[in-house]
Amino acid sequence: MGKAPQAAPAERSFLIGQAAFAARPLAPALYLVATPIGNLADITLRALETLAGADIVAAEDTRVSRVLLERYGIRRRATAYHEHNAARAGPKLIAALEEGRSVALISDAGTPLVSDPGHRLVGEALERGIRVVPIPGPSAAIAALTASGLPSDAFFFAGFLSPKAGQRQSRLEEIKAVPGTLIFFESPRRLEESLAAMADVLGGTRRAAVGRELTKTFEEMRLGTLAELAAHYAEAGAPKGEIVVCVGPPQARQEGPADIDRLLLSLAGEMPASKAAAEAAKMTGGQKQALYRRLLELKEGGGG
């Protein structure tokens, strides 16, 4: 009879169910490890192996990280690295990296560096020639965007808005014309006033979505215009849980017939008629075939 398989060493292993898996040694580097935004089953195998194999696990909140590490049998004591201790903890992590050790950086949830101080550590590591390795995975911003039904070909992550009304309005004014979907993180207690400010500055008719408790038991995605969402939360009060707000791109100005004719002729001066019609369709939301026929009429009538 063959020998029964031996369990992987506890200090460099992780568990999936009752099975133990050995973590391979990590090359010296700073590893940016994405962790679940709610459902702990969303962790990747590569993330588990990295957390189990790293010499040091640096976490935004060690109490939160302990839950994840214990769930997967990773016997690592995390060290704290967050906004309030970055000036002290950062140099220690850099020193460990320069000594040839491996450091895995995780945030409370999702991908490190998204609305957390990890960018300072990464910047310092890169300046010193230390390798930085991304271990991709969950992101609340991307999860909300994909579930919102809003355009995802171009988007702008704006993080948290200021709690101060004046600064919040100024920031919204700066980004109101961005030609893509806007993504915000928001505190439940400030959601009502933030949505009201968005409706006022960005326009109440812009399509939007509020994602709450994504990947968790009470996950919710509420869709509507900014005005409708602002009114809903003004009446319902502050929700519970983590919040992501997505706001659709600015609405295209409605073009009149004369505007469209000018646009068609201008484009036709730079490209073939078929391509000009296709480009005009993208810009105006019109139908390519109808615009192509109109362009031919303009050319036959001497408009171009």
Side-chain angles (χ1 to χ4, degrees):
M1 295 179 61
K3 294 183 179 179
Q6 295 184 347
E11 68 276 6
R12 295 283 178 174
S13 66
F14 59 94
L15 297 175
I16 298 179
Q18 300 300 314
F21 297 86
R24 291 171 294 182
L26 291 177
L30 173 60
Y31 296 84
L32 310 178
V33 184
T35 56
I37 61 176
N39 191 322
L40 295 184
D42 289 337
I43 193 77
T44 69
L45 292 176
R46 188 180 178 206
L48 290 174
E49 186 172 29
T50 301
L51 292 173
D55 296 317
I56 299 171
V57 174
E60 187 176 3
D61 188 329
T62 57
R63 295 167 300 179
V64 173
S65 64
R66 187 181 305 122
V67 174
L68 175 67
L69 297 177
E70 290 181 353
R71 162 71 179 269
Y72 290 101
I74 298 173
R75 298 184 180 179
R76 277 283 173 282
R77 182 184 295 275
T79 183
Y81 177 80
H82 49 71
E83 182 179 0
H84 304 293
N85 79 341
R88 300 191 312 276
K92 295 179 181 178
L93 294 174
I94 292 295
L97 288 162
E98 290 186 319
E99 291 169 1
R101 305 180 76 187
S102 56
V103 175
L105 177 68
I106 60 177
S107 65
D108 283 352
T111 302
L113 276 68
V114 179
S115 286
D116 75 30
H119 68 278
R120 303 176 202 167
L121 187 64
V122 170
E124 181 71 14
L126 292 173
E127 286 181 5
R128 293 171 178 263
I130 296 169
R131 184 179 174 216
V132 176
V133 181
I135 310 295
S139 165
I142 300 301
L145 174 64
T146 56
S148 71
L150 297 170
S152 57
D153 55 332
F155 58 89
F156 180 84
F157 176 67
F160 284 94
L161 290 170
S162 172
K164 297 181 179 179
Q167 293 180 12
R168 180 172 55 228
Q169 179 165 340
S170 296
R171 179 58 171 158
L172 289 171
E173 291 284 359
E174 290 175 354
I175 62 178
K176 68 183 294 184
V178 170
T181 295
L182 304 176
I183 306 174
F184 303 89
F185 288 164
E186 192 48 277
S187 159
R189 67 179 183 277
R190 289 201 302 266
L191 180 61
E192 177 189 339
E193 59 186 284
S194 288
L195 286 171
M198 291 177 192
D200 181 50
V201 177
L202 304 179
T205 59
R206 278 175 75 160
R207 302 296 300 173
V210 174
R212 184 179 71 86
E213 292 289 86
L214 297 178
T215 78
K216 300 179 184 178
T217 302
F218 299 104
E219 175 181 282
E220 177 186 36
M221 183 65 71
R222 183 171 291 276
L223 313 176
T225 65
L226 279 172
E228 290 168 346
L229 291 171
H232 169 78
Y233 287 104
E235 181 179 348
K240 295 181 179 179
E242 304 292 328
I243 302 292
V244 185
V245 179
C246 298
V247 181
Q251 295 166 324
R253 182 173 66 89
Q254 294 298 312
E255 304 285 355
D259 295 320
I260 293 176
D261 287 353
R262 284 193 292 270
L263 176 62
L264 284 169
L265 291 171
S266 174
L267 291 170
E270 302 174 4
M271 59 189 73
S274 178
K275 188 172 182 181
E279 200 64 30
K282 290 180 184 178
M283 297 172 68
T284 66
Q287 292 195 358
K288 176 185 174 181
Q289 290 181 341
L291 291 169
Y292 180 71
R293 288 195 298 270
R294 178 56 183 161
L295 179 54
L296 294 182
E297 289 174 3
L298 291 170
K299 284 180 171 289
E300 291 172 0

PDB file of all heavy atoms in Angstrom, residues 281-293:
ATOM      1  N   ALA A 281     -23.806  58.516 -36.922  1.00  0.00           N
ATOM      2  CA  ALA A 281     -24.738  57.696 -36.146  1.00  0.00           C
ATOM      3  C   ALA A 281     -24.250  57.517 -34.714  1.00  0.00           C
ATOM      4  O   ALA A 281     -25.033  57.589 -33.756  1.00  0.00           O
ATOM      5  CB  ALA A 281     -24.913  56.334 -36.830  1.00  0.00           C
ATOM      6  N   LYS A 282     -22.929  57.302 -34.559  1.00  0.00           N
ATOM      7  CA  LYS A 282     -22.359  57.165 -33.220  1.00  0.00           C
ATOM      8  C   LYS A 282     -22.516  58.449 -32.418  1.00  0.00           C
ATOM      9  O   LYS A 282     -22.811  58.430 -31.224  1.00  0.00           O
ATOM     10  CB  LYS A 282     -20.873  56.817 -33.310  1.00  0.00           C
ATOM     11  CG  LYS A 282     -20.569  55.426 -33.828  1.00  0.00           C
ATOM     12  CD  LYS A 282     -19.056  55.211 -33.856  1.00  0.00           C
ATOM     13  CE  LYS A 282     -18.677  53.875 -34.449  1.00  0.00           C
ATOM     14  NZ  LYS A 282     -17.204  53.704 -34.516  1.00  0.00           N
ATOM     15  N   MET A 283     -22.329  59.581 -33.073  1.00  0.00           N
ATOM     16  CA  MET A 283     -22.321  60.868 -32.386  1.00  0.00           C
ATOM     17  C   MET A 283     -23.720  61.367 -32.048  1.00  0.00           C
ATOM     18  O   MET A 283     -23.903  62.085 -31.067  1.00  0.00           O
ATOM     19  CB  MET A 283     -21.584  61.902 -33.241  1.00  0.00           C
ATOM     20  CG  MET A 283     -20.116  61.563 -33.471  1.00  0.00           C
ATOM     21  SD  MET A 283     -19.292  62.641 -34.670  1.00  0.00           S
ATOM     22  CE  MET A 283     -19.268  64.194 -33.765  1.00  0.00           C
ATOM     23  N   THR A 284     -24.710  60.987 -32.858  1.00  0.00           N
ATOM     24  CA  THR A 284     -26.058  61.530 -32.665  1.00  0.00           C
ATOM     25  C   THR A 284     -27.075  60.508 -32.192  1.00  0.00           C
ATOM     26  O   THR A 284     -28.167  60.877 -31.768  1.00  0.00           O
ATOM     27  CB  THR A 284     -26.591  62.143 -33.978  1.00  0.00           C
ATOM     28  OG1 THR A 284     -26.764  61.086 -34.949  1.00  0.00           O
ATOM     29  CG2 THR A 284     -25.629  63.182 -34.521  1.00  0.00           C
ATOM     30  N   GLY A 285     -26.733  59.232 -32.280  1.00  0.00           N
ATOM     31  CA  GLY A 285     -27.692  58.201 -31.925  1.00  0.00           C
ATOM     32  C   GLY A 285     -28.666  57.891 -33.042  1.00  0.00           C
ATOM     33  O   GLY A 285     -29.614  57.124 -32.860  1.00  0.00           O
ATOM     34  N   GLY A 286     -28.453  58.488 -34.233  1.00  0.00           N
ATOM     35  CA  GLY A 286     -29.318  58.236 -35.383  1.00  0.00           C
ATOM     36  C   GLY A 286     -28.996  56.927 -36.060  1.00  0.00           C
ATOM     37  O   GLY A 286     -28.030  56.238 -35.706  1.00  0.00           O
ATOM     38  N   GLN A 287     -29.810  56.556 -37.045  1.00  0.00           N
ATOM     39  CA  GLN A 287     -29.592  55.312 -37.777  1.00  0.00           C
ATOM     40  C   GLN A 287     -28.660  55.557 -38.961  1.00  0.00           C
ATOM     41  O   GLN A 287     -28.838  56.513 -39.727  1.00  0.00           O
ATOM     42  CB  GLN A 287     -30.923  54.751 -38.270  1.00  0.00           C
ATOM     43  CG  GLN A 287     -31.816  54.269 -37.137  1.00  0.00           C
ATOM     44  CD  GLN A 287     -32.947  53.394 -37.637  1.00  0.00           C
ATOM     45  OE1 GLN A 287     -33.077  53.172 -38.839  1.00  0.00           O
ATOM     46  NE2 GLN A 287     -33.743  52.901 -36.714  1.00  0.00           N
ATOM     47  N   LYS A 288     -27.702  54.678 -39.106  1.00  0.00           N
ATOM     48  CA  LYS A 288     -26.684  54.843 -40.140  1.00  0.00           C
ATOM     49  C   LYS A 288     -27.293  54.914 -41.546  1.00  0.00           C
ATOM     50  O   LYS A 288     -26.925  55.782 -42.353  1.00  0.00           O
ATOM     51  CB  LYS A 288     -25.676  53.698 -40.057  1.00  0.00           C
ATOM     52  CG  LYS A 288     -24.626  53.737 -41.158  1.00  0.00           C
ATOM     53  CD  LYS A 288     -23.716  52.528 -41.105  1.00  0.00           C
ATOM     54  CE  LYS A 288     -22.768  52.498 -42.296  1.00  0.00           C
ATOM     55  NZ  LYS A 288     -21.892  51.311 -42.281  1.00  0.00           N
ATOM     56  N   GLN A 289     -28.229  54.027 -41.857  1.00  0.00           N
ATOM     57  CA  GLN A 289     -28.795  53.994 -43.206  1.00  0.00           C
ATOM     58  C   GLN A 289     -29.535  55.284 -43.542  1.00  0.00           C
ATOM     59  O   GLN A 289     -29.402  55.823 -44.649  1.00  0.00           O
ATOM     60  CB  GLN A 289     -29.732  52.790 -43.345  1.00  0.00           C
ATOM     61  CG  GLN A 289     -29.008  51.453 -43.342  1.00  0.00           C
ATOM     62  CD  GLN A 289     -29.956  50.277 -43.511  1.00  0.00           C
ATOM     63  OE1 GLN A 289     -31.155  50.424 -43.273  1.00  0.00           O
ATOM     64  NE2 GLN A 289     -29.427  49.140 -43.930  1.00  0.00           N
ATOM     65  N   ALA A 290     -30.300  55.797 -42.577  1.00  0.00           N
ATOM     66  CA  ALA A 290     -31.040  57.040 -42.804  1.00  0.00           C
ATOM     67  C   ALA A 290     -30.080  58.209 -42.994  1.00  0.00           C
ATOM     68  O   ALA A 290     -30.294  59.080 -43.855  1.00  0.00           O
ATOM     69  CB  ALA A 290     -31.984  57.305 -41.639  1.00  0.00           C
ATOM     70  N   LEU A 291     -29.007  58.222 -42.198  1.00  0.00           N
ATOM     71  CA  LEU A 291     -28.027  59.304 -42.315  1.00  0.00           C
ATOM     72  C   LEU A 291     -27.267  59.200 -43.633  1.00  0.00           C
ATOM     73  O   LEU A 291     -26.931  60.225 -44.255  1.00  0.00           O
ATOM     74  CB  LEU A 291     -27.062  59.253 -41.125  1.00  0.00           C
ATOM     75  CG  LEU A 291     -27.692  59.630 -39.773  1.00  0.00           C
ATOM     76  CD1 LEU A 291     -26.750  59.281 -38.634  1.00  0.00           C
ATOM     77  CD2 LEU A 291     -28.028  61.113 -39.739  1.00  0.00           C
ATOM     78  N   TYR A 292     -27.003  57.987 -44.066  1.00  0.00           N
ATOM     79  CA  TYR A 292     -26.315  57.788 -45.347  1.00  0.00           C
ATOM     80  C   TYR A 292     -27.175  58.310 -46.502  1.00  0.00           C
ATOM     81  O   TYR A 292     -26.683  59.015 -47.397  1.00  0.00           O
ATOM     82  CB  TYR A 292     -25.998  56.308 -45.538  1.00  0.00           C
ATOM     83  CG  TYR A 292     -25.296  55.987 -46.829  1.00  0.00           C
ATOM     84  CD1 TYR A 292     -23.975  56.371 -47.033  1.00  0.00           C
ATOM     85  CD2 TYR A 292     -25.945  55.303 -47.843  1.00  0.00           C
ATOM     86  CE1 TYR A 292     -23.316  56.079 -48.227  1.00  0.00           C
ATOM     87  CE2 TYR A 292     -25.304  55.004 -49.033  1.00  0.00           C
ATOM     88  CZ  TYR A 292     -23.987  55.394 -49.215  1.00  0.00           C
ATOM     89  OH  TYR A 292     -23.339  55.114 -50.396  1.00  0.00           O
ATOM     90  N   ARG A 293     -28.465  57.988 -46.449  1.00  0.00           N
ATOM     91  CA  ARG A 293     -29.368  58.485 -47.499  1.00  0.00           C
ATOM     92  C   ARG A 293     -29.432  60.009 -47.483  1.00  0.00           C
ATOM     93  O   ARG A 293     -29.425  60.664 -48.530  1.00  0.00           O
ATOM     94  CB  ARG A 293     -30.770  57.899 -47.310  1.00  0.00           C
ATOM     95  CG  ARG A 293     -30.883  56.418 -47.655  1.00  0.00           C
ATOM     96  CD  ARG A 293     -32.341  55.993 -47.793  1.00  0.00           C
ATOM     97  NE  ARG A 293     -33.073  56.171 -46.539  1.00  0.00           N
ATOM     98  CZ  ARG A 293     -33.181  55.245 -45.606  1.00  0.00           C
ATOM     99  NH1 ARG A 293     -32.598  54.050 -45.782  1.00  0.00           N
ATOM    100  NH2 ARG A 293     -33.871  55.466 -44.509  1.00  0.00           N
TER     101      ARG A 293
END
